[in-house]
Amino acid sequence: MLERRKPIPIGDAVQKIMEHQLHGVTEYVSINESFGRFLSEDLIATSDVPHFDRAPYDGFAVRSIDTREASQANPVEFKVIDHLGAGMVSTKVVGQNQAVRIMTGAMMPEGTDAVVMFEVAQDNEKNGTPYMSIKRSFNKGDNVSFTGEDAKKGEVLVKKGTLINPGIQAMLATFGYKDVPVAKKPLVGLFATGTELLEVEEALVPGKIRNSNSHMIAAQIERAGGNVKYFGKLPDEFDTCFEAVKNVLNEVDLLITTGGVSVGDFDYLPAIYDKLGAEVLFNKVAMRPGSVTTVAEYKGKILFGLSGNPSACYVGFELFARPIIRKMLFSEKVHLRKEMALLQADFPKANPFTRFVRSSAFIEDGRLKATPSGLDKSNIIMSLAGANSLMILPGGTRGFTAGSEVEVLFLEDQTGSEWPW
Amino acid sequence: MLERRKPIPIGDAVQKIMEHQLHGVTEYVSINESFGRFLSEDLIATSDVPHFDRAPYDGFAVRSIDTREASQANPVEFKVIDHLGAGMVSTKVVGQNQAVRIMTGAMMPEGTDAVVMFEVAQDNEKNGTPYMSIKRSFNKGDNVSFTGEDAKKGEVLVKKGTLINPGIQAMLATFGYKDVPVAKKPLVGLFATGTELLEVEEALVPGKIRNSNSHMIAAQIERAGGNVKYFGKLPDEFDTCFEAVKNVLNEVDLLITTGGVSVGDFDYLPAIYDKLGAEVLFNKVAMRPGSVTTVAEYKGKILFGLSGNPSACYVGFELFARPIIRKMLFSEKVHLRKEMALLQADFPKANPFTRFVRSSAFIEDGRLKATPSGLDKSNIIMSLAGANSLMILPGGTRGFTAGSEVEVLFLEDQTGSEWPW
């Protein structure tokens, strides 16, 4: 009496989801709130950098023409007519054999075209007037940072979809982005289903466990860049679940449920999708854990029916829900970053389906290696805590031995990949 | 007339800072707010997991003793006396040749000690009463998840100082941590000094630039795990700066200033530390950029005088301020993670001091590689945006060629290292 479902390859499942047109939305946030958000427009240089010729060192600004004859045998003397710190602007025009004492970052005074660093100048004073002399010549432009040297006005400096890091924060400030265009965080609704679930504050009773999936998925949503709206837990009752799911769909961009997607007697999500009239994109994927992951589309919203099993739930989110969230954040590399690693342990289990093994990936002597981070029992949440990656063990094989090359997906990395499948 | 400062090795500089006893403080936050925080106490299993024997599959719970004679030739029949979903508890005691239909996660009924999966059972019905039969025997414990199998009450599961990831969120929920003990975020005060600085919303004028360092460092503080309190920008005026620094010291755990630490005519931080009576730990480090980084201690507070040069400022924060913040977050690996990488470009410049080059580190064919992420001019903030690492090029060398092995420090990685110097 078991329902028979036809498993589809992982890549096909991801493809079916990504075909749906979900677009990002721009919102403006203060630069003080923009760290960690995703740019929704290209960051463009609104001015040259620097936007004036400036001294890159402490020294004396001079006219290079006046230094031509300077040598060890023939020191040339300059009268120091002004003294500039960064941010100060000289009102003087520098004439023949005149110099301005200038600090790093200050604007080159009119007439000057080179900077003599302190180390090669000899200070002196005559009747209270400062002078300096040099024993070598300088070319026009020596020790000057020229306008536009670092960036030209109009240049695209950072592409949209990029995560804003401290360096980008500095650029935003440099170019006057007081308000920064960032991707609005997609709002992801979340229900946990299961009569066995207790809330975190409830005492344990026989047969019931605390709802850990919601807290895990909420953190995964946040890590992916979304906002979570937790609607609570639902018992395994068809009508209750149906009404609950139907009622919240307009409030969110995406909806995730955990549990209720297998073929058990109280797994109602497939029937709920059916009654809603949602189009089921797939209800079985050729993978472990998470083969029963079911994804449907209804009126432009994607409904993720993740397994109630913690590992399957975790993997299902990262493979199927994360890329849609990243797409709505304007990212071009929406999937988890994939790399080749050396397997550090035997993995003798045969895999009919592709298996995702929670792993610790690390670099040793410049080489990426990966080792399973715990027993691979699908109900063990413990090994999730130490995992920074998922090892991909392809299906149809007889197991793997230490030293094999395997692919890993990085969980805690923002680099992403365009298409890992 | 240049002040002569004696440079100390990087490791010595870091050591001098880390000797100061700054301790973390615990605060309790809701589990809904704990993702991304650092545990300030060990996470301990408050119960066994599972805390009751349960079915890991859908099937029939039976007494294994009743299956002993079952074989292909001799099917044994069981009367199905109850039907359990997860979270339901049977009130019945299972007797001889009786079974309970049971769903994944449900508690094993009294008397049963094995689960027969649906796939190997034959359902039938007699006069409205369900029966099932099997053609093989089962041992005590077959297909049962036993109490304590995943975790034992009292076990330390995650060490304090660990960053809370989605897996740890799941564990916190499982063990009833409604309120989670986390490290209070250190409050880091921040001043930018420099008469040349404009705020982000101000229009450019000749000789002045927008204050980018504060926004960059604020993001670095946040990335490190601290909270920032930005006190504004200060002109290069001794009295103004002195009063400003003195007045805020009681409000913060650490104080960072940018600018004013070099030997220019308007660099007042050394004199400010002197007038305060602060103990200067060092004022010159054998490194580029950031050699003028000056760190002082005053009444238990550490004062970081970072260079006003954006690159030097960035590097100075990561090497010297980040580890103190991480220490206050109970971390055991407070420094940036260090790995060996293959240099992907020639770097012909000779280095009298150890040089930190902003780099893009990546993995290719399982091998870590690194390439400079931009021109290494210290006033170029542009290359900071694309950098995910700092390449360490040791001093006293004649330059480096592509293919050399170099050490890199990861900027966007939470792994950390105990001591990279």
Side-chain angles (χ1 to χ4, degrees):
Chain A
M1 234 79 95
L2 280 178
E3 181 195 340
R4 290 284 161 215
R5 298 180 181 178
K6 191 175 151 37
I8 66 171
I10 298 163
D12 290 3
V14 176
Q15 185 75 51
K16 277 173 184 282
I17 295 170
M18 299 311 288
E19 275 165 10
H20 288 267
Q21 299 301 313
L22 292 171
H23 296 294
V25 175
T26 290
E27 67 179 0
Y28 283 82
V29 298
S30 159
I31 189 172
N32 300 319
E33 307 288 328
S34 63
F35 171 64
R37 299 294 296 268
F38 289 78
L39 280 175
S40 68
E41 296 174 13
D42 292 343
L43 194 166
I44 291 168
T46 56
S47 65
D48 288 341
V49 175
H51 64 98
F52 50 87
D53 295 349
R54 67 184 175 191
Y57 305 109
D58 297 341
F60 296 97
V62 296
R63 305 175 344 147
S64 58
I65 195 171
D66 299 336
T67 72
R68 273 192 308 192
E69 307 300 328
S71 66
Q72 283 296 329
N74 180 40
V76 174
E77 191 171 66
F78 293 79
K79 183 176 178 185
V80 180
I81 61 164
D82 207 351
H83 183 186
L84 297 179
M88 294 161 69
V89 176
S90 183
T91 55
K92 300 191 175 149
V93 178
V94 176
Q96 196 178 346
N97 283 50
Q98 293 185 331
V100 169
R101 187 175 171 94
I102 193 167
M103 296 295 116
T104 305
M107 186 162 89
M108 296 293 289
E110 206 177 326
T112 63
D113 60 10
V115 171
V116 175
M117 288 155 79
F118 281 151
E119 292 86 323
V120 295
Q122 184 69 46
D123 282 73
N124 60 64
E125 214 180 275
K126 296 183 193 167
N127 303 321
T129 302
Y131 285 80
M132 70 92 182
S133 61
I134 56 177
K135 292 180 174 174
R136 54 161 282 205
S137 65
F138 286 81
N139 292 319
K140 185 178 163 74
D142 277 357
N143 301 327
V144 177
S145 278
F146 287 104
T147 302
E149 184 177 277
D150 294 353
K152 294 253 183 294
K153 183 174 177 175
E155 262 186 284
V156 172
L157 298 172
V158 186
K159 300 276 267 180
K160 75 175 177 183
T162 304
L163 183 69
I164 298 174
N165 65 20
I168 296 176
Q169 284 285 108
M171 293 169 70
L172 289 166
T174 296
F175 296 112
Y177 285 80
K178 177 174 184 289
D179 298 304
V180 181
V182 298
K184 192 162 185 277
K185 294 187 172 198
L187 184 59
V188 186
L190 179 59
F191 276 116
T193 75
T195 300
E196 77 278 20
L197 300 179
L198 300 168
E199 291 296 2
V200 61
E201 65 272 16
E202 292 185 88
L204 295 179
V205 295
K208 300 212 174 195
I209 60 170
R210 295 198 188 94
N211 170 15
S212 59
N213 282 343
S214 292
H215 294 281
M216 180 180 76
I217 291 286
Q220 288 177 276
I221 292 169
E222 216 180 302
R223 181 168 70 183
N227 274 333
V228 64
K229 185 157 189 179
Y230 177 52
F231 292 113
K233 61 186 170 70
L234 295 169
D236 294 317
E237 296 163 12
F238 180 84
D239 292 334
T240 311
C241 290
F242 176 76
E243 290 300 324
V245 166
K246 200 179 78 161
N247 289 338
V248 304
L249 278 174
N250 282 332
E251 297 179 40
V252 297
D253 296 310
L254 307 167
L255 184 67
I256 292 176
T257 52
T258 62
V261 288
S262 190
V263 292
D265 300 340
F266 307 98
D267 287 329
Y268 294 126
L269 261 296
I272 288 168
Y273 294 145
D274 190 44
K275 183 169 173 183
L276 265 181
E279 181 202 351
V280 173
L281 305 182
F282 55 85
N283 62 13
K284 184 128 186 159
V285 188
M287 62 188 265
R288 290 265 188 276
S291 65
V292 296
T293 307
T294 300
V295 176
E297 189 266 336
Y298 179 65
K299 293 189 177 172
K301 309 277 165 119
I302 299 186
L303 289 68
F304 294 89
L306 303 180
S307 167
N309 167 305
S311 295
C313 187
Y314 188 101
V315 171
F317 177 88
E318 296 296 331
L319 265 47
F320 304 118
R322 180 191 192 274
I324 276 286
I325 292 173
R326 284 288 160 114
K327 188 177 177 188
M328 294 177 79
L329 295 171
F330 297 87
S331 174
E332 289 185 352
K333 295 182 169 180
V334 299
H335 303 283
L336 294 174
R337 175 179 171 193
K338 190 176 76 173
E339 300 291 354
M340 291 300 289
L342 285 181
L343 179 57
Q344 296 300 293
D346 290 335
F347 208 89
K349 255 193 252 186
N351 291 308
F353 286 167
T354 295
R355 180 177 288 275
F356 293 90
V357 181
R358 296 175 295 281
S359 306
S360 167
F362 57 96
I363 295 168
E364 201 172 59
D365 303 328
R367 193 74 181 73
L368 185 65
K369 304 183 176 180
T371 195
S373 63
L375 287 165
D376 192 51
K377 293 191 83 171
S378 56
N379 56 348
I380 296 186
I381 61 162
M382 305 310 150
S383 65
L384 285 174
N388 64 6
S389 51
L390 296 170
M391 195 186 285
I392 308 176
L393 301 181
T397 55
R398 292 194 184 184
F400 294 83
T401 49
S404 314
E405 290 225 309
V406 292
E407 291 178 332
V408 294
L409 298 172
F410 284 170
L411 295 166
E412 300 281 356
D413 188 284
Q414 297 292 349
T415 313
S417 70
E418 281 181 39
W419 185 253
W421 305 118
Chain B
M1 236 78 95
L2 282 177
E3 181 195 339
R4 290 284 162 214
R5 297 181 181 177
K6 192 176 149 38
I8 66 170
I10 298 162
D12 291 2
V14 176
Q15 185 74 52
K16 278 174 182 282
I17 296 169
M18 300 310 291
E19 275 165 9
H20 289 266
Q21 300 299 316
L22 292 171
H23 295 292
V25 175
T26 290
E27 66 179 359
Y28 283 82
V29 298
S30 158
I31 188 173
N32 300 318
E33 308 288 328
S34 63
F35 171 64
R37 301 293 297 268
F38 289 78
L39 280 174
S40 67
E41 295 174 13
D42 293 343
L43 193 167
I44 290 169
T46 55
S47 64
D48 288 340
V49 176
H51 65 98
F52 51 86
D53 295 348
R54 66 183 174 191
Y57 304 110
D58 298 340
F60 296 96
V62 295
R63 307 178 341 152
S64 59
I65 195 173
D66 300 335
T67 73
R68 272 193 307 193
E69 307 301 328
S71 67
Q72 283 296 328
N74 180 39
V76 173
E77 190 171 68
F78 293 79
K79 184 178 178 183
V80 181
I81 61 164
D82 208 352
H83 184 186
L84 296 179
M88 294 160 68
V89 176
S90 183
T91 54
K92 299 185 175 155
V93 178
V94 176
Q96 195 178 349
N97 283 51
Q98 292 184 332
V100 168
R101 186 175 172 95
I102 192 167
M103 297 295 116
T104 306
M107 185 164 89
M108 295 292 288
E110 207 178 324
T112 64
D113 60 10
V115 171
V116 175
M117 288 156 78
F118 281 152
E119 292 87 323
V120 294
Q122 182 72 44
D123 282 74
N124 61 63
E125 213 181 276
K126 296 182 192 167
N127 303 323
T129 302
Y131 284 80
M132 70 91 182
S133 61
I134 55 176
K135 290 179 173 172
R136 52 159 284 203
S137 63
F138 287 81
N139 291 320
K140 186 177 161 75
D142 278 356
N143 301 326
V144 177
S145 277
F146 287 103
T147 301
E149 182 177 278
D150 293 354
K152 294 253 183 292
K153 184 175 177 175
E155 263 184 282
V156 172
L157 298 173
V158 186
K159 299 277 266 179
K160 75 175 176 181
T162 304
L163 182 69
I164 297 175
N165 65 18
I168 296 175
Q169 283 284 110
M171 292 169 69
L172 289 166
T174 297
F175 295 112
Y177 284 80
K178 177 173 183 288
D179 298 304
V180 181
V182 298
K184 193 162 184 280
K185 294 186 172 200
L187 184 58
V188 186
L190 178 61
F191 276 117
T193 76
T195 300
E196 76 277 21
L197 300 179
L198 300 167
E199 290 297 1
V200 62
E201 65 273 17
E202 292 186 90
L204 296 179
V205 295
K208 301 212 172 194
I209 58 171
R210 295 198 187 95
N211 169 16
S212 59
N213 282 343
S214 291
H215 293 282
M216 181 180 75
I217 291 288
Q220 288 177 276
I221 292 168
E222 216 179 302
R223 182 169 70 184
N227 274 334
V228 64
K229 184 157 190 179
Y230 176 52
F231 292 114
K233 61 187 171 69
L234 295 169
D236 294 316
E237 296 165 12
F238 180 84
D239 291 334
T240 310
C241 290
F242 176 76
E243 291 300 323
V245 166
K246 200 179 77 159
N247 289 338
V248 304
L249 278 173
N250 282 332
E251 298 179 39
V252 297
D253 296 311
L254 306 167
L255 184 67
I256 291 177
T257 52
T258 63
V261 288
S262 191
V263 293
D265 300 342
F266 307 96
D267 287 329
Y268 294 126
L269 261 296
I272 287 168
Y273 294 146
D274 190 42
K275 183 167 174 184
L276 265 180
E279 180 202 352
V280 173
L281 306 181
F282 55 86
N283 62 12
K284 184 130 186 157
V285 188
M287 63 189 264
R288 290 266 188 278
S291 65
V292 295
T293 307
T294 300
V295 177
E297 191 265 338
Y298 179 64
K299 294 191 177 172
K301 308 275 165 123
I302 300 188
L303 288 68
F304 295 89
L306 303 181
S307 166
N309 167 304
S311 295
C313 186
Y314 188 101
V315 171
F317 176 89
E318 296 297 331
L319 265 48
F320 304 118
R322 181 191 191 274
I324 277 285
I325 292 173
R326 284 288 160 113
K327 188 177 177 188
M328 294 177 78
L329 295 171
F330 296 88
S331 174
E332 289 185 351
K333 294 182 170 181
V334 300
H335 304 283
L336 293 174
R337 175 179 169 192
K338 190 175 75 172
E339 300 291 353
M340 291 300 287
L342 285 181
L343 179 57
Q344 297 299 292
D346 288 336
F347 208 89
K349 256 193 251 186
N351 292 306
F353 285 168
T354 296
R355 180 177 287 274
F356 293 90
V357 181
R358 297 175 295 282
S359 306
S360 166
F362 57 97
I363 295 168
E364 201 172 58
D365 303 328
R367 192 75 181 73
L368 185 64
K369 303 182 175 182
T371 195
S373 62
L375 286 165
D376 193 52
K377 293 192 80 169
S378 55
N379 56 347
I380 296 186
I381 60 163
M382 306 310 149
S383 66
L384 284 174
N388 63 7
S389 51
L390 296 171
M391 195 185 286
I392 308 177
L393 300 181
T397 54
R398 292 194 183 182
F400 294 84
T401 50
S404 314
E405 291 225 310
V406 293
E407 290 178 332
V408 294
L409 298 172
F410 284 170
L411 295 165
E412 301 280 357
D413 189 284
Q414 298 292 349
T415 313
S417 69
E418 279 180 42
W419 185 253
W421 307 118

